[in-house]
Amino acid sequence: MTQLPIVAVVGRPNVGKSTLVNRIVGRRVAVVEAKPGVTRDRREFRAEWLDRPFLLVDTGGWELTPDGELTQDIRSQTEAALIGADAVLFVTDATAAVTDDDQGVAEMLRRAEIPVILVANKSDNPKADLDTTHLYRLGLGDPTPISSLHGRGTGDLLERLFTLLPEREGAEEPEMASLAIIGRPNVGKSTLLNQMLGEDRVLVSETPGTTRDPIDAVVEMDGEPFRVVDTAGIRRAPKWGDGADYYAVLRAKGVLAESDVALLMIDGVEGATHQDQRLAEEIAEAGTGLVVLLNKWDVATAEEREWCRDSVADRLGFVGWAPVLTLSAKTGSKIKRIGGAVRVSLESLDQRIPTGELNRLIRRWQEAHPPPVRKGRRPKILYAVHAGRRPPVIVLFVAGGELGVDYLRFLENRLRNEFDFTGAPIQFRARQRASSRG
């Protein structure tokens, strides 16, 4: 497949890089907050301008003198984004003096020898355009004034950008399943994605909440490509006041709803918690396939392993249909088994039960174990159809009242005994029909 042109968006912290990315892509794909350090990993987004596709790479804020391991990693991720880039948008704050960090970015770009457009962001009116002369000190040519927040000047910026990009025809991406790595903060989600990729694509830190935006990448498992998304750690109850963290959690849940299979990571030392239980409930309700991963198995003691298995059986018993794998994301031990479990889950999600066979089974089960009487009436299933895939959806046409959750669970258990739906939730939808009178 022909590679799309790649454009890296770089700059010091809090100059509006992610806001510009959102403006170009046309929707809120990057978390934005008015404080430095919100973007931490490099993220890739497909964008188009005048029917020409290209790949936009958002990066964290580059600092000349990082004051900690995390900011040093952010700087490394930014520099890695320049590898293979065809052009760079160097975003600066037109309303602020040139800083040492700005000078450091400019020097890095000169060494990289990549075509650069100096973007003077926060130029919200024509008068502000005249106040960008101080940016000539960076030695990167004429600044292009824009307001990424309001969209002012971004069309001219993109026209200038496309004069720098090579002519490439982007072939359609092959269809591939989407996997979401889901879990509480600091259980090893980013470490797993890096291990699957064989590179430090995502920042890893002992500090919970390092990942804010979902980070996606294409991973090959058993010779098959998958789009894998590492999401922010989902906390118990994000609040509006949490700012970027709140929106990061919302975006993680949105990724889950759009994914085919979720990899629910659980700390093998701590065992399954109530929050893991809530996450499993959300995965099942979203109709997403599920594979449970017990991480940190290499450092868990025998007692901790036993406790972990017991806690999974206790708190995740309602998703007992999900495969459970033990592994170590840090060392890579046993992660190759993930591909096979995902494939089983996808096959289950796509499985279809012929209508005739489904109705014969439903009639047999109903005769042997009728639905309980409710409010003096006994419900009756008149007809059933397997109406959807990913997830499997069974529609029941019912007369005489509601079946109840317990009876639907009884039907699900019978279906799972008859057909292999390993790794896939089954959703039932009951529709009321008037019973026929002869």
Short mmCIF file of all heavy atoms in Angstrom, two decimals, residues 135-188:
data_model
loop_
_atom_site.label_atom_id
_atom_site.label_comp_id
_atom_site.label_asym_id
_atom_site.label_seq_id
_atom_site.Cartn_x
_atom_site.Cartn_y
_atom_site.Cartn_z
N LEU A 135 8.99 36.50 15.32
CA LEU A 135 9.19 35.08 15.02
C LEU A 135 10.27 34.87 13.95
O LEU A 135 10.73 33.73 13.76
CB LEU A 135 7.88 34.45 14.58
CG LEU A 135 6.77 34.43 15.65
CD1 LEU A 135 5.48 33.86 15.08
CD2 LEU A 135 7.23 33.61 16.86
N TYR A 136 10.66 35.95 13.24
CA TYR A 136 11.74 35.81 12.26
C TYR A 136 13.06 35.42 12.95
O TYR A 136 13.97 34.89 12.31
CB TYR A 136 11.93 37.12 11.48
CG TYR A 136 10.89 37.31 10.39
CD1 TYR A 136 9.74 38.06 10.62
CD2 TYR A 136 11.07 36.74 9.13
CE1 TYR A 136 8.80 38.25 9.63
CE2 TYR A 136 10.13 36.92 8.13
CZ TYR A 136 8.98 37.67 8.38
OH TYR A 136 8.04 37.84 7.39
N ARG A 137 13.14 35.67 14.26
CA ARG A 137 14.35 35.30 15.01
C ARG A 137 14.61 33.80 14.95
O ARG A 137 15.75 33.35 15.16
CB ARG A 137 14.21 35.71 16.47
CG ARG A 137 14.23 37.19 16.73
CD ARG A 137 14.04 37.47 18.22
NE ARG A 137 14.95 36.67 19.04
CZ ARG A 137 14.78 36.46 20.34
NH1 ARG A 137 13.72 36.96 20.96
NH2 ARG A 137 15.67 35.74 21.02
N LEU A 138 13.59 33.01 14.68
CA LEU A 138 13.75 31.55 14.65
C LEU A 138 14.47 31.07 13.39
O LEU A 138 14.87 29.91 13.31
CB LEU A 138 12.39 30.88 14.77
CG LEU A 138 11.65 31.14 16.09
CD1 LEU A 138 10.21 30.62 16.02
CD2 LEU A 138 12.41 30.48 17.24
N GLY A 139 14.61 31.93 12.41
CA GLY A 139 15.38 31.59 11.22
C GLY A 139 14.73 30.55 10.32
O GLY A 139 15.42 29.78 9.64
N LEU A 140 13.40 30.50 10.31
CA LEU A 140 12.68 29.51 9.50
C LEU A 140 11.73 30.16 8.49
O LEU A 140 10.73 29.58 8.10
CB LEU A 140 11.89 28.56 10.42
CG LEU A 140 12.76 27.64 11.30
CD1 LEU A 140 11.89 26.90 12.30
CD2 LEU A 140 13.53 26.65 10.44
N GLY A 141 12.06 31.36 8.11
CA GLY A 141 11.30 32.01 7.05
C GLY A 141 10.09 32.77 7.57
O GLY A 141 9.97 33.07 8.76
N ASP A 142 9.17 33.07 6.63
CA ASP A 142 8.00 33.87 6.96
C ASP A 142 7.02 33.10 7.83
O ASP A 142 6.64 31.96 7.49
CB ASP A 142 7.28 34.30 5.68
CG ASP A 142 8.14 35.19 4.80
OD1 ASP A 142 8.98 35.90 5.37
OD2 ASP A 142 7.96 35.16 3.57
N PRO A 143 6.57 33.68 8.92
CA PRO A 143 5.53 33.03 9.72
C PRO A 143 4.18 33.11 9.01
O PRO A 143 3.89 34.09 8.33
CB PRO A 143 5.52 33.82 11.03
CG PRO A 143 6.12 35.14 10.70
CD PRO A 143 7.07 34.91 9.55
N THR A 144 3.39 32.07 9.16
CA THR A 144 2.04 32.03 8.60
C THR A 144 1.05 32.25 9.74
O THR A 144 0.88 31.38 10.59
CB THR A 144 1.76 30.68 7.93
OG1 THR A 144 2.70 30.47 6.88
CG2 THR A 144 0.34 30.63 7.37
N PRO A 145 0.39 33.42 9.79
CA PRO A 145 -0.53 33.70 10.90
C PRO A 145 -1.85 32.95 10.75
O PRO A 145 -2.44 32.92 9.66
CB PRO A 145 -0.74 35.21 10.81
CG PRO A 145 -0.50 35.55 9.38
CD PRO A 145 0.53 34.57 8.88
N ILE A 146 -2.29 32.32 11.85
CA ILE A 146 -3.57 31.62 11.86
C ILE A 146 -4.20 31.73 13.25
O ILE A 146 -3.54 32.15 14.20
CB ILE A 146 -3.43 30.12 11.53
CG1 ILE A 146 -2.72 29.38 12.67
CG2 ILE A 146 -2.74 29.87 10.21
CD1 ILE A 146 -2.94 27.88 12.68
N SER A 147 -5.46 31.36 13.34
CA SER A 147 -6.10 31.13 14.63
C SER A 147 -6.72 29.74 14.56
O SER A 147 -7.76 29.56 13.93
CB SER A 147 -7.18 32.18 14.91
OG SER A 147 -7.92 31.82 16.07
N SER A 148 -6.05 28.77 15.16
CA SER A 148 -6.58 27.40 15.12
C SER A 148 -7.90 27.30 15.86
O SER A 148 -8.75 26.46 15.54
CB SER A 148 -5.56 26.42 15.70
OG SER A 148 -5.21 26.77 17.02
N LEU A 149 -8.10 28.16 16.88
CA LEU A 149 -9.33 28.12 17.64
C LEU A 149 -10.52 28.56 16.80
O LEU A 149 -11.59 27.95 16.84
CB LEU A 149 -9.21 29.02 18.88
CG LEU A 149 -10.41 29.06 19.81
CD1 LEU A 149 -10.68 27.67 20.40
CD2 LEU A 149 -10.18 30.08 20.94
N HIS A 150 -10.35 29.60 16.00
CA HIS A 150 -11.45 30.14 15.20
C HIS A 150 -11.40 29.71 13.74
O HIS A 150 -12.35 29.97 12.99
CB HIS A 150 -11.45 31.67 15.28
CG HIS A 150 -11.54 32.20 16.67
ND1 HIS A 150 -12.64 32.03 17.47
CD2 HIS A 150 -10.61 32.86 17.44
CE1 HIS A 150 -12.43 32.58 18.66
NE2 HIS A 150 -11.20 33.09 18.67
N GLY A 151 -10.31 29.08 13.32
CA GLY A 151 -10.19 28.62 11.94
C GLY A 151 -9.62 29.66 11.00
O GLY A 151 -9.44 29.39 9.80
N ARG A 152 -9.33 30.82 11.49
CA ARG A 152 -8.82 31.91 10.63
C ARG A 152 -7.46 31.55 10.06
O ARG A 152 -6.53 31.20 10.77
CB ARG A 152 -8.72 33.19 11.46
CG ARG A 152 -8.24 34.39 10.68
CD ARG A 152 -8.26 35.66 11.55
NE ARG A 152 -7.82 36.78 10.76
CZ ARG A 152 -6.53 37.14 10.62
NH1 ARG A 152 -5.60 36.45 11.26
NH2 ARG A 152 -6.20 38.17 9.89
N GLY A 153 -7.33 31.61 8.73
CA GLY A 153 -6.06 31.39 8.05
C GLY A 153 -5.66 29.94 7.84
O GLY A 153 -4.63 29.67 7.21
N THR A 154 -6.47 28.99 8.34
CA THR A 154 -6.05 27.59 8.20
C THR A 154 -6.13 27.10 6.76
O THR A 154 -5.37 26.23 6.35
CB THR A 154 -6.89 26.68 9.12
OG1 THR A 154 -8.28 26.90 8.87
CG2 THR A 154 -6.59 26.97 10.58
N GLY A 155 -7.06 27.66 5.98
CA GLY A 155 -7.14 27.29 4.57
C GLY A 155 -5.87 27.69 3.83
O GLY A 155 -5.31 26.90 3.05
N ASP A 156 -5.40 28.92 4.06
CA ASP A 156 -4.15 29.37 3.43
C ASP A 156 -2.98 28.52 3.90
O ASP A 156 -2.07 28.21 3.12
CB ASP A 156 -3.90 30.84 3.78
CG ASP A 156 -4.93 31.77 3.16
OD1 ASP A 156 -5.57 31.37 2.16
OD2 ASP A 156 -5.11 32.90 3.68
N LEU A 157 -3.00 28.14 5.19
CA LEU A 157 -1.92 27.29 5.71
C LEU A 157 -1.88 25.96 4.98
O LEU A 157 -0.80 25.48 4.58
CB LEU A 157 -2.13 27.07 7.21
CG LEU A 157 -1.21 26.03 7.87
CD1 LEU A 157 0.23 26.49 7.82
CD2 LEU A 157 -1.64 25.78 9.31
N LEU A 158 -3.04 25.34 4.78
CA LEU A 158 -3.08 24.04 4.12
C LEU A 158 -2.67 24.14 2.66
O LEU A 158 -2.01 23.24 2.12
CB LEU A 158 -4.46 23.43 4.26
CG LEU A 158 -4.82 22.93 5.67
CD1 LEU A 158 -6.29 22.58 5.78
CD2 LEU A 158 -3.96 21.74 6.06
N GLU A 159 -3.05 25.22 2.00
CA GLU A 159 -2.61 25.40 0.60
C GLU A 159 -1.09 25.49 0.52
O GLU A 159 -0.47 24.92 -0.38
CB GLU A 159 -3.27 26.65 0.02
CG GLU A 159 -4.76 26.49 -0.26
CD GLU A 159 -5.34 27.71 -0.93
OE1 GLU A 159 -4.56 28.63 -1.27
OE2 GLU A 159 -6.57 27.74 -1.12
N ARG A 160 -0.51 26.22 1.46
CA ARG A 160 0.95 26.33 1.48
C ARG A 160 1.58 24.98 1.81
O ARG A 160 2.60 24.61 1.23
CB ARG A 160 1.37 27.38 2.49
CG ARG A 160 2.87 27.61 2.54
CD ARG A 160 3.24 28.69 3.52
NE ARG A 160 4.69 28.80 3.65
CZ ARG A 160 5.32 29.52 4.56
NH1 ARG A 160 4.61 30.23 5.43
NH2 ARG A 160 6.64 29.55 4.62
N LEU A 161 0.95 24.25 2.74
CA LEU A 161 1.48 22.94 3.12
C LEU A 161 1.55 22.00 1.94
O LEU A 161 2.55 21.29 1.75
CB LEU A 161 0.62 22.34 4.23
CG LEU A 161 0.91 20.89 4.63
CD1 LEU A 161 2.30 20.76 5.22
CD2 LEU A 161 -0.14 20.38 5.61
N PHE A 162 0.51 22.00 1.10
CA PHE A 162 0.47 21.03 0.01
C PHE A 162 1.45 21.32 -1.10
O PHE A 162 1.71 20.46 -1.93
CB PHE A 162 -0.96 20.89 -0.52
CG PHE A 162 -1.74 19.84 0.21
CD1 PHE A 162 -2.42 20.14 1.38
CD2 PHE A 162 -1.76 18.53 -0.24
CE1 PHE A 162 -3.11 19.17 2.07
CE2 PHE A 162 -2.44 17.55 0.44
CZ PHE A 162 -3.12 17.87 1.60
N THR A 163 2.03 22.50 -1.11
CA THR A 163 3.12 22.75 -2.08
C THR A 163 4.40 22.03 -1.65
O THR A 163 5.32 21.88 -2.46
CB THR A 163 3.39 24.26 -2.21
OG1 THR A 163 3.88 24.76 -0.95
CG2 THR A 163 2.13 25.01 -2.60
N LEU A 164 4.45 21.59 -0.38
CA LEU A 164 5.65 20.94 0.13
C LEU A 164 5.56 19.42 0.11
O LEU A 164 6.57 18.73 0.25
CB LEU A 164 5.93 21.39 1.57
CG LEU A 164 6.05 22.89 1.83
CD1 LEU A 164 6.27 23.15 3.31
CD2 LEU A 164 7.20 23.48 1.00
N LEU A 165 4.35 18.88 -0.04
CA LEU A 165 4.16 17.44 0.08
C LEU A 165 4.37 16.73 -1.25
O LEU A 165 4.00 17.26 -2.31
CB LEU A 165 2.76 17.14 0.62
CG LEU A 165 2.45 17.65 2.02
CD1 LEU A 165 1.03 17.26 2.41
CD2 LEU A 165 3.45 17.09 3.02
N PRO A 166 4.92 15.52 -1.21
CA PRO A 166 5.07 14.73 -2.45
C PRO A 166 3.72 14.26 -2.96
O PRO A 166 2.76 14.09 -2.20
CB PRO A 166 5.94 13.54 -1.99
CG PRO A 166 5.65 13.41 -0.53
CD PRO A 166 5.43 14.80 -0.03
N GLU A 167 3.62 14.08 -4.26
CA GLU A 167 2.40 13.56 -4.86
C GLU A 167 2.33 12.06 -4.65
O GLU A 167 3.16 11.30 -5.15
CB GLU A 167 2.38 13.86 -6.37
CG GLU A 167 2.22 15.34 -6.69
CD GLU A 167 0.79 15.80 -6.52
OE1 GLU A 167 -0.09 14.93 -6.34
OE2 GLU A 167 0.55 17.02 -6.56
N ARG A 168 1.38 11.62 -3.85
CA ARG A 168 1.19 10.19 -3.61
C ARG A 168 -0.29 9.88 -3.67
O ARG A 168 -1.12 10.62 -3.17
CB ARG A 168 1.73 9.78 -2.25
CG ARG A 168 3.24 9.91 -2.10
CD ARG A 168 3.64 9.57 -0.68
NE ARG A 168 5.08 9.78 -0.47
CZ ARG A 168 5.65 9.82 0.71
NH1 ARG A 168 4.92 9.67 1.80
NH2 ARG A 168 6.94 10.02 0.83
N GLU A 169 -0.59 8.77 -4.26
CA GLU A 169 -1.97 8.29 -4.28
C GLU A 169 -2.16 7.33 -3.12
O GLU A 169 -1.49 6.30 -3.05
CB GLU A 169 -2.30 7.59 -5.60
CG GLU A 169 -2.33 8.54 -6.80
CD GLU A 169 -3.42 9.57 -6.67
OE1 GLU A 169 -4.48 9.24 -6.09
OE2 GLU A 169 -3.24 10.70 -7.13
N GLY A 170 -3.03 7.66 -2.20
CA GLY A 170 -3.27 6.81 -1.04
C GLY A 170 -4.24 5.70 -1.36
O GLY A 170 -5.40 5.95 -1.68
N ALA A 171 -3.79 4.47 -1.34
CA ALA A 171 -4.67 3.33 -1.56
C ALA A 171 -5.59 3.15 -0.36
O ALA A 171 -5.28 3.58 0.75
CB ALA A 171 -3.84 2.06 -1.79
N GLU A 172 -6.71 2.52 -0.59
CA GLU A 172 -7.63 2.26 0.51
C GLU A 172 -6.99 1.31 1.52
O GLU A 172 -6.34 0.34 1.16
CB GLU A 172 -8.92 1.63 -0.03
CG GLU A 172 -9.80 2.59 -0.80
CD GLU A 172 -10.32 3.72 0.06
OE1 GLU A 172 -10.65 3.46 1.24
OE2 GLU A 172 -10.37 4.86 -0.43
N GLU A 173 -7.16 1.65 2.79
CA GLU A 173 -6.61 0.79 3.83
C GLU A 173 -7.36 -0.54 3.86
O GLU A 173 -8.57 -0.57 3.69
CB GLU A 173 -6.73 1.46 5.19
CG GLU A 173 -5.88 2.72 5.32
CD GLU A 173 -5.96 3.29 6.72
OE1 GLU A 173 -6.72 2.73 7.54
OE2 GLU A 173 -5.28 4.28 6.99
N PRO A 174 -6.64 -1.64 4.07
CA PRO A 174 -7.33 -2.93 4.14
C PRO A 174 -8.24 -2.96 5.37
O PRO A 174 -7.92 -2.40 6.41
CB PRO A 174 -6.18 -3.93 4.28
CG PRO A 174 -5.04 -3.14 4.84
CD PRO A 174 -5.19 -1.76 4.29
N GLU A 175 -9.37 -3.64 5.22
CA GLU A 175 -10.29 -3.75 6.35
C GLU A 175 -9.65 -4.62 7.43
O GLU A 175 -9.11 -5.68 7.14
CB GLU A 175 -11.61 -4.38 5.89
CG GLU A 175 -12.65 -4.45 6.97
CD GLU A 175 -13.97 -4.98 6.47
OE1 GLU A 175 -14.11 -5.13 5.22
OE2 GLU A 175 -14.86 -5.26 7.30
N MET A 176 -9.70 -4.16 8.64
CA MET A 176 -9.10 -4.92 9.74
C MET A 176 -9.93 -4.73 11.00
O MET A 176 -10.60 -3.71 11.17
CB MET A 176 -7.64 -4.50 9.97
CG MET A 176 -7.44 -3.08 10.45
SD MET A 176 -5.68 -2.64 10.59
CE MET A 176 -5.26 -2.42 8.85
N ALA A 177 -9.87 -5.72 11.86
CA ALA A 177 -10.61 -5.66 13.11
C ALA A 177 -9.95 -4.64 14.04
O ALA A 177 -8.74 -4.41 13.99
CB ALA A 177 -10.65 -7.03 13.78
N SER A 178 -10.77 -4.05 14.91
CA SER A 178 -10.29 -3.04 15.85
C SER A 178 -10.31 -3.61 17.26
O SER A 178 -11.32 -4.17 17.71
CB SER A 178 -11.17 -1.79 15.78
OG SER A 178 -10.76 -0.83 16.73
N LEU A 179 -9.20 -3.47 17.97
CA LEU A 179 -9.07 -3.96 19.34
C LEU A 179 -8.84 -2.77 20.27
O LEU A 179 -8.06 -1.89 19.96
CB LEU A 179 -7.90 -4.94 19.48
CG LEU A 179 -7.76 -6.04 18.42
CD1 LEU A 179 -6.54 -6.89 18.73
CD2 LEU A 179 -9.01 -6.89 18.36
N ALA A 180 -9.51 -2.76 21.41
CA ALA A 180 -9.31 -1.71 22.40
C ALA A 180 -8.68 -2.31 23.65
O ALA A 180 -9.17 -3.30 24.19
CB ALA A 180 -10.65 -1.07 22.76
N ILE A 181 -7.57 -1.73 24.09
CA ILE A 181 -6.95 -2.14 25.35
C ILE A 181 -7.58 -1.29 26.45
O ILE A 181 -7.40 -0.08 26.49
CB ILE A 181 -5.43 -1.96 25.32
CG1 ILE A 181 -4.82 -2.70 24.12
CG2 ILE A 181 -4.81 -2.46 26.62
CD1 ILE A 181 -3.32 -2.51 23.98
N ILE A 182 -8.34 -1.93 27.33
CA ILE A 182 -9.13 -1.25 28.35
C ILE A 182 -8.66 -1.68 29.73
O ILE A 182 -8.28 -2.84 29.93
CB ILE A 182 -10.63 -1.59 28.18
CG1 ILE A 182 -11.14 -1.12 26.81
CG2 ILE A 182 -11.48 -0.98 29.29
CD1 ILE A 182 -11.27 0.37 26.66
N GLY A 183 -8.72 -0.79 30.69
CA GLY A 183 -8.36 -1.17 32.05
C GLY A 183 -8.25 0.03 32.96
O GLY A 183 -8.32 1.18 32.53
N ARG A 184 -8.06 -0.26 34.22
CA ARG A 184 -7.84 0.80 35.19
C ARG A 184 -6.48 1.47 34.93
O ARG A 184 -5.65 0.93 34.21
CB ARG A 184 -7.86 0.22 36.62
CG ARG A 184 -9.20 -0.33 37.05
CD ARG A 184 -9.15 -0.87 38.48
NE ARG A 184 -8.34 -2.07 38.60
CZ ARG A 184 -7.21 -2.15 39.27
NH1 ARG A 184 -6.73 -1.09 39.89
NH2 ARG A 184 -6.53 -3.28 39.34
N PRO A 185 -6.25 2.65 35.53
CA PRO A 185 -4.95 3.29 35.33
C PRO A 185 -3.80 2.42 35.84
O PRO A 185 -3.91 1.73 36.86
CB PRO A 185 -5.07 4.58 36.17
CG PRO A 185 -6.53 4.85 36.26
CD PRO A 185 -7.18 3.49 36.30
N ASN A 186 -2.71 2.43 35.08
CA ASN A 186 -1.44 1.84 35.52
C ASN A 186 -1.47 0.32 35.65
O ASN A 186 -0.76 -0.24 36.49
CB ASN A 186 -1.02 2.46 36.86
CG ASN A 186 0.49 2.64 36.94
OD1 ASN A 186 1.15 2.88 35.95
ND2 ASN A 186 1.04 2.51 38.14
N VAL A 187 -2.27 -0.35 34.82
CA VAL A 187 -2.24 -1.82 34.85
C VAL A 187 -1.36 -2.40 33.75
O VAL A 187 -1.22 -3.61 33.65
CB VAL A 187 -3.67 -2.41 34.74
CG1 VAL A 187 -4.49 -2.06 35.95
CG2 VAL A 187 -4.35 -1.97 33.45
N GLY A 188 -0.78 -1.53 32.89
CA GLY A 188 0.15 -2.02 31.87
C GLY A 188 -0.37 -1.95 30.45
O GLY A 188 0.17 -2.62 29.57
#
